[in-house]
Amino acid sequence: MKPTEVANIFKMPGEKRLTYFLETVHQSKKVYGLSDEEGWALLGDDDDTDILPLFPEAGLAEAFKKAAGYEDYTVEEVTLDVLLDWLDELDEEETMIAICPNTHLEGAIVEPANLKIELLQL
């Protein structure tokens, strides 16, 4: 992805990034997250809720990684089928999903069960 494309996507409001995420994942059947040897990168909120950032394209995950201080993490691809199974586990653990958070850690936060419903409707 070109830097201007990344910047334009990160400037979108969270709900538009959610729509972009759903449309892109529907076509590619892949999502991207950040991981290291200890597991997946998680964000947190004021209530200490774990929030897993997911991205529809590797370039967005890479840009987030660099800008948000996750340099020690690797961008990892997850197939849609694996994600759909994984969302059940995340729901049980009460982990939320940050959809394509920008470099200011802003993005749509969704419950895993709701994301699964949205992805299955595509």
Side-chain angles (χ1 to χ4, degrees):
M1 293 188 86
K2 295 178 183 175
T4 54
E5 291 174 305
V6 170
N8 288 337
I9 292 168
F10 281 157
K11 287 179 187 175
M12 291 179 185
E15 287 302 313
K16 287 194 181 224
R17 274 183 274 142
L18 174 57
T19 299
Y20 177 78
F21 176 91
L22 293 170
E23 291 170 354
T24 304
V25 171
H26 174 67
Q27 292 177 3
S28 71
K29 308 290 189 235
K30 301 174 196 169
V31 299
Y32 299 86
L34 303 175
S35 71
D36 67 6
E37 62 277 350
E38 294 181 23
W40 293 95
L42 296 172
L43 309 174
D45 66 9
D46 294 338
D47 297 325
D48 291 328
T49 300
D50 286 335
I51 303 170
L52 176 69
L54 292 178
F55 302 86
E57 299 181 59
L60 293 169
E62 189 67 40
F64 175 84
K65 175 182 113 164
K66 289 177 183 173
Y70 286 89
E71 294 88 6
D72 294 336
Y73 287 76
T74 302
V75 174
E76 296 285 340
E77 178 183 294
V78 177
T79 66
L80 181 56
D81 289 337
V82 169
L83 176 64
L84 291 171
D85 289 338
W86 195 19
L87 289 172
D88 292 329
E89 293 174 39
L90 293 171
D91 195 46
E92 289 175 18
E93 296 169 1
E94 299 182 0
T95 299
M96 300 295 281
I97 308 294
I99 301 296
C100 197
N102 62 21
T103 55
H104 301 290
L105 306 180
E106 301 164 334
I109 306 295
V110 297
E111 293 181 10
N114 291 342
L115 180 58
K116 185 172 184 174
I117 290 167
E118 292 285 337
L119 290 169
L120 289 172
Q121 289 178 352
L122 298 175

